[in-house]
Amino acid sequence: MRPVIAVSGLRKTYGSGDTAVHALRGVDLDVMPGEYVAIMGASGSGKSTLLNMLGCLDVPTAGEYELDGFPVSELNERQLSLLRNRKIGFIFQSFNLVPRTSALSNVELPLIYAGLRRAARRERALAALEMVGLSDRAKHLPSELSGGQQQRVAVARALVTGPAMLLADEPTGNLDRASTAEVLGVFDRLNALGRTVVVITHEDEVAAHAHRVIRVSDGVIVSDLLAGVA
């Protein structure tokens, strides 16, 4: 089975000479289809830089990265953008929903960019909303939804293109405890259905839902443990 993420010797340096900042210092990492992985680290540890690399938002200084079999390191900016849109479903701390647009229309947006016809968009967006338990809120505006419901709409939007993985950056950072539980429950169900989930977080409560926890410090992976392994 081919990894969704295959990283070897990944390095990222900002600047040069005496002022150079070595954000990543040689990271090796594989994530297989269907895994649920949490990546943790303190501020300045390199986890945000690693997120940018895995999300094809930045390119490494050195090393290799294959996303679902595609050699990211060899792609130009246009190719990176296409790969990012087709292979990654992003979920951010801020929900990034269009305010005066219904939940259904928000979920449809990536499919509009992909050129799908209206009927096909509507069918797939409704299915995605059903997967996150919000089919009965399809016509509601973001302002009519709770924070947890808004983030679940964002998850549906990330799902609707059928990406190789969901990549979530501090997805519960703006949520209260009840809404956090809602969103984490959605991640649990999606992973149980075979979705690959990678979550960047500093919260132990969030990481506890993952089956594998990776800790980053000073630009390197310092631990990579399966859930329940001390």
Side-chain angles (χ1 to χ4, degrees), residues 1-6 31-33 66-70 87:
M1 186 183 295
R2 182 178 65 195
V4 175
I5 292 172
V31 174
M32 302 303 294
E66 287 192 1
L67 173 58
D68 203 29
F70 288 86
K87 295 293 183 179

Side-chain angles (χ1 to χ4, degrees), residues 56 108 149 157 164:
C56 301
E108 283 184 301
Q149 289 172 333
R157 183 181 57 195

Side-chain angles (χ1 to χ4, degrees), residues 14-64:
Y14 298 99
S16 60
D18 294 338
T19 61
V21 175
H22 302 284
L24 295 178
R25 299 171 179 266
V27 170
D28 299 321
L29 173 64
D30 283 352
V31 174
M32 302 303 294
E35 282 201 274
Y36 187 166
V37 178
I39 299 177
M40 304 189 73
S43 178
S45 64
K47 79 174 188 298
S48 295
T49 302
L50 182 57
L51 164 74
N52 289 338
M53 298 297 120
L54 298 181
C56 301
L57 299 170
D58 198 357
V59 293
T61 305
E64 301 296 327

Side-chain angles (χ1 to χ4, degrees), residues 201-222:
T201 183
H202 68 278
E203 299 180 53
D204 290 331
E205 176 188 1
V206 175
H209 284 251
H211 303 149
R212 179 180 170 198
V213 178
I214 295 168
R215 295 185 184 272
V216 179
S217 179
D218 198 26
V220 298
I221 291 175
V222 293

